Amino acid sequence: MNTKLKREIKTAVLGIYALLNAACTNVSEKKLEADWTGTDTIVLDTENTQLIARETAVDSVWYVKLESVEESFVGHVDQVLFGDSTILVVDTRIAKAIFRFDYQGRYLGRMSNLGNGPDEFLSLLGLAELPNGTFALFDPRRQRICIFDESGNMVSSIECPMYAKSVQFIDDETIVFDVFNFRNKDTETVGGHASYLVRDNRMKELYKFGSTDFERDFSYTRHHNMYSYDGVVYCNVNFDDVIYEMGRDGVKAKYLLEIRPDGTANHLPVRTEKEYHSLWHRYNHFSGDFIELKDYTYFCASVVQPDFWQAHLLYSHRTRKPYIMINDFDDPMMSFFGIPESRFGDNCLVSWVSASNVISSVERMSEKTDDPRLRELVSGMSRDDNPVLFFYKVAF
């Protein structure tokens, strides 16, 4: 039985089950099933998928050294977003601030308005970019979304009396809340709790999507929980191996990632941390690391058999084939490629590397090669400086 037919049968059975249960419950059910029409199945076979050198897959690489002055110190990079003339670096853990740099890395200022004032926030979970070019800061402690321009000026706010991990905007009036493992009346559905909740900017519920049915003390960290490009919000539900597109009127299954051999089954029945760690140390798996580009799609999967390693996968929209990127070390600048944090422009992946790691890597590589680019990279740099952003333009 092929994968598509299995999915169709599963969706039909779940739909019948939900209808039967809805008849005997008072829970308001607006949870949607995804549309599987036209879904791309991408097979990652760790033994047979075609390999491609990073030097072949990446057309060019450049970097931005973020200026290091006392007021610009970034403790940890949680997000990187790009405005027309500004790079926004979000640190939710240490500085609890949003830093602004230009595209030469010069420090422009920071947003760290902690407090109860009209232009202040009590908590910072990250930023979301709106299609109109502004940025949204979700402040769950004050239960509101603050809208800022790229200069850091607050232009409006939206009251949202609910708790969530983060938000993204489908359009200027449609908001997706990541309510993964938040169990309250806003997320309750028949048979469990929703993973995502879609509302308009007046907080009218449009629909729910995904399901969460874990024990309360379960802790699971996703690298990319939800993200958006060009008005499309992408998500990955729990332990599923599917990337979904969320729109105002519904959800489409965009990609199904099949990992072979020894890959985990779709949507694993994991309820406890013990089950999670047991499965994740025995099977190859996809944990949601994904970036959609104009002409390519990037995935990262964890391969545990026979040895643990990260498979960086590029899927070409033109050839409709996947490629595993490998580093043949001909170009030392490719050595800084890690799991990308964000996308820049049409086909550019962005990673960040701490100054300490940059210097250590250059010291090791300098023993084998005398590359002037490496000397320029670390010129004037100390180990306590701000991170370096590396840009990798994909083209092959």
Side-chain angles (χ1 to χ4, degrees):
M1 186 181 295
N2 61 40
T3 302
K4 182 177 179 181
L5 183 57
K6 288 181 180 178
R7 289 283 181 173
E8 291 175 349
I9 294 174
K10 178 181 177 182
T11 299
V13 172
L14 289 174
I16 294 172
Y17 178 78
L19 289 173
L20 292 174
N21 279 276
C24 56
T25 181
N26 293 322
V27 176
S28 175
E29 177 59 53
K30 296 183 180 180
K31 179 173 169 289
L32 295 183
E33 296 296 334
D35 176 10
W36 282 83
T37 305
T39 302
D40 285 348
T41 298
I42 302 173
V43 177
L44 169 56
D45 188 331
T46 58
E47 298 177 353
N48 297 301
T49 298
Q50 183 174 340
L51 305 180
I52 184 170
R54 290 181 190 170
E55 289 84 347
T56 301
V58 175
D59 176 72
S60 58
V61 55
W62 68 95
Y63 58 84
V64 174
K65 295 196 286 187
L66 302 179
E67 183 181 8
S68 300
V69 294
E70 183 178 356
E71 59 271 23
S72 76
F73 176 72
V74 179
H76 184 273
V77 178
D78 291 289
Q79 280 181 285
V80 180
L81 291 88
F82 302 97
D84 291 336
S85 59
T86 307
I87 300 174
L88 301 178
V89 179
V90 183
D91 178 359
T92 67
R93 309 184 191 186
I94 299 175
K96 294 182 173 59
I98 302 163
F99 298 87
R100 299 172 51 249
F101 300 88
D102 66 18
Y103 280 89
Q104 286 70 50
R106 293 185 292 253
Y107 175 62
L108 301 177
R110 60 187 280 172
M111 297 163 52
S112 55
N113 306 322
L114 294 174
N116 281 307
D119 294 342
E120 297 176 328
F121 50 87
L122 289 176
S123 52
L124 171 61
L125 290 186
L127 285 181
E129 185 176 2
L130 278 71
N132 63 11
T134 58
F135 297 87
L137 181 158
F138 178 48
D139 183 357
R141 291 185 62 186
R142 293 189 68 172
Q143 295 190 320
R144 73 172 184 172
I145 299 171
C146 303
I147 311 297
F148 294 87
D149 61 25
E150 68 175 274
S151 297
N153 302 309
M154 183 172 170
V155 296
S156 63
S157 65
I158 301 172
E159 300 301 318
C160 50
M162 61 179 300
Y163 296 97
K165 293 182 63 176
S166 63
V167 301
Q168 289 291 349
F169 282 73
I170 294 173
D171 53 46
D172 296 338
E173 298 181 350
T174 310
I175 310 168
V176 183
F177 293 86
D178 182 351
V179 290
F180 173 81
N181 228 12
F182 281 86
R183 302 189 175 190
N184 54 57
K185 63 180 180 181
D186 294 313
T187 62
E188 187 176 359
T189 67
V190 171
H193 293 260
S195 297
Y196 300 96
L197 183 62
V198 181
R199 291 183 169 184
D200 64 20
N201 58 4
R202 295 173 296 279
M203 292 299 103
K204 177 184 177 182
E205 181 181 324
L206 302 179
Y207 64 85
K208 300 178 176 72
F209 179 66
S211 62
T212 299
D213 193 22
F214 301 149
E215 293 186 349
R216 288 185 176 274
D217 59 353
F218 185 94
S219 177
Y220 168 53
T221 301
R222 290 175 292 181
H223 183 69
H224 283 123
N225 49 19
M226 184 171 63
Y227 32 91
S228 66
Y229 304 125
D230 299 329
V232 178
V233 173
Y234 298 91
C235 70
N236 171 246
V237 178
N238 302 337
F239 303 99
D240 214 339
D241 52 6
V242 182
I243 296 296
Y244 299 94
E245 288 184 352
M246 303 186 70
R248 183 178 177 89
D249 298 321
V251 181
K252 173 178 173 55
K254 179 70 173 176
Y255 301 112
L256 166 64
L257 184 62
E258 290 191 354
I259 303 178
R260 304 173 185 169
D262 300 324
T264 52
N266 299 333
H267 201 83
L268 293 173
V270 178
R271 290 182 53 86
T272 68
E273 287 199 47
K274 183 177 180 180
E275 292 173 336
Y276 164 74
H277 290 294
S278 174
L279 289 167
W280 250 232
H281 284 87
R282 287 189 292 152
Y283 297 99
N284 303 331
H285 60 275
F286 170 60
S287 57
D289 296 328
F290 155 88
I291 293 181
E292 179 77 341
L293 301 174
K294 179 181 179 182
D295 300 312
Y296 308 91
T297 305
Y298 167 84
F299 296 90
C300 182
S302 295
V303 181
V304 297
Q305 302 292 341
D307 298 310
F308 183 86
W309 58 285
Q310 290 177 328
H312 299 280
L313 186 74
L314 280 175
Y315 175 70
S316 170
H317 300 171
R318 178 178 57 85
T319 66
R320 301 180 72 84
K321 293 181 179 180
Y323 305 82
I324 295 178
M325 285 195 294
I326 59 172
N327 196 345
D328 56 17
F329 297 104
D330 287 342
D331 186 350
M333 297 302 293
M334 296 295 173
S335 300
F336 300 102
F337 186 96
I339 298 178
E341 299 291 328
S342 58
R343 159 186 170 169
F344 174 74
D346 289 337
N347 291 307
C348 191
L349 298 170
V350 183
S351 300
W352 70 273
V353 183
S354 69
S356 177
N357 285 343
V358 169
I359 292 174
S360 296
S361 297
V362 170
E363 288 176 348
R364 290 193 301 270
M365 288 185 287
S366 296
E367 297 176 356
K368 301 179 180 180
T369 179
D370 184 22
D371 193 315
R373 294 175 300 169
L374 296 179
R375 295 197 302 270
E376 180 183 358
L377 172 60
V378 298
S379 175
M381 182 185 296
S382 72
R383 293 182 180 273
D384 295 327
D385 281 351
N386 267 332
V388 179
L389 303 181
F390 287 88
F391 296 74
Y392 300 89
K393 182 182 177 183
V394 180
F396 63 92

